[in-house]
Amino acid sequence: MSYGYNENEDSDENDNPLMAGLWMDDDSLAPPCGCEMEFIPWMLEVAAVQSNDTLLDLGAGDGRICRLACLGYHPPSSPSTLHSCSYSIGVEIEPSACTLFNSGIIKDDLEGRCFCLNSDLLDINFDKPIQEVEGVTVITVYLLPEGLVAIEDKIRAWLNAGEAQGNGGVKRRVVCNTWGFKGWEPSRVVKVEKFNYTELFLYDIDSIPLHS
């Protein structure tokens, strides 16, 4: 099944900072390579990404999650349907990855809907990461366990703020790939058999530990 994006088409593989087995940085909070393209629809389906959502991807790499969320994805449980978000923002610290991301935005004609933010994910406002878009409702995360520890307080604050604001009736949620927040109670856990039972963890306001 094609999702409108070929992960190898944007550059020669020797110049691609997201090649499997190549660390983007010695102290990176993210795994060494980007999420497999065919796996992304599972993440988006678990998060129930719809047309009234604004998605924020932390450690976005070449923007594959953001781009697919805007282009439209086929939920694995209902492959005949197509869903997409309203806007997406990807936060990426590596300039070379941002170059690929921005090239993809232009290629896919997603300017004005999909945005690349070249920044440290610890330095941004999760609710309003850029001036053009506000009201993030979904956050996608593919970070190492130490990365999840680093963003935990910001995620907690973002979920609490959404509950206080009402967020237009859209419940804020977070989906984590492979690793989840220690001590949190996910509202849903999905093991994707096709990808070696990789786990996806869905969190919302009710997932926050009571002692937090």
Side-chain angles (χ1 to χ4, degrees):
M1 181 179 294
S2 173
Y3 296 100
Y5 172 61
N6 180 346
E7 63 181 327
N8 296 316
E9 70 185 7
D10 287 313
S11 68
D12 183 85
E13 64 176 8
N14 294 323
D15 297 324
N16 190 342
L18 301 176
M19 284 175 57
L22 180 62
W23 285 95
M24 295 177 68
D25 197 298
D26 289 340
D27 58 354
S28 175
L29 296 178
C33 55
C35 179
E36 290 186 53
M37 199 64 201
E38 295 289 327
F39 187 74
I40 295 173
W42 292 91
M43 293 186 69
L44 299 177
E45 180 177 29
V46 168
V49 172
Q50 302 285 343
S51 60
N52 58 351
D53 281 313
T54 295
L55 179 144
L56 174 65
D57 185 33
L58 302 178
D62 61 2
R64 58 188 64 182
I65 292 177
C66 292
R67 291 166 58 189
L68 184 59
C70 281
L71 285 169
Y73 71 99
H74 297 279
S77 67
S78 181
S80 64
T81 62
L82 185 70
H83 298 288
S84 63
C85 65
S86 181
Y87 300 98
S88 67
I89 307 107
V91 184
E92 176 52 52
I93 198 170
E94 293 290 340
S96 55
C98 288
T99 297
L100 294 177
F101 193 160
N102 283 312
S103 295
I105 290 173
I106 295 171
K107 180 183 72 68
D108 290 333
D109 195 25
L110 292 174
E111 294 163 288
R113 288 186 60 209
C114 184
F115 302 87
C116 174
L117 178 58
N118 185 194
S119 178
D120 188 323
L121 58 84
L122 299 178
D123 294 336
I124 68 162
N125 180 339
F126 286 1
D127 185 56
K128 188 178 176 62
I130 60 175
Q131 290 299 315
E132 294 88 339
V133 179
E134 62 182 331
V136 170
T137 55
V138 176
I139 294 179
T140 52
V141 183
Y142 185 30
L143 297 177
L144 296 168
E146 53 266 39
L148 295 177
V149 171
I151 67 169
E152 184 174 339
D153 288 344
K154 291 175 71 71
I155 291 289
R156 182 186 295 111
W158 175 76
L159 288 171
N160 281 322
E163 186 74 2
Q165 296 168 9
N167 224 69
V170 180
K171 192 171 189 177
R172 293 185 175 187
R173 58 260 190 227
V174 183
V175 62
C176 294
N177 179 353
T178 307
W179 299 280
F181 293 105
K182 186 176 181 180
W184 290 41
E185 185 64 36
S187 60
R188 186 182 179 196
V189 178
V190 174
K191 295 184 179 182
V192 185
E193 180 179 0
K194 181 179 178 181
F195 291 88
N196 299 316
Y197 294 93
T198 296
E199 292 185 307
L200 292 170
F201 303 88
L202 180 66
Y203 300 97
D204 56 31
I205 187 66
D206 297 321
S207 302
I208 300 176
L210 293 177
H211 59 77
S212 298

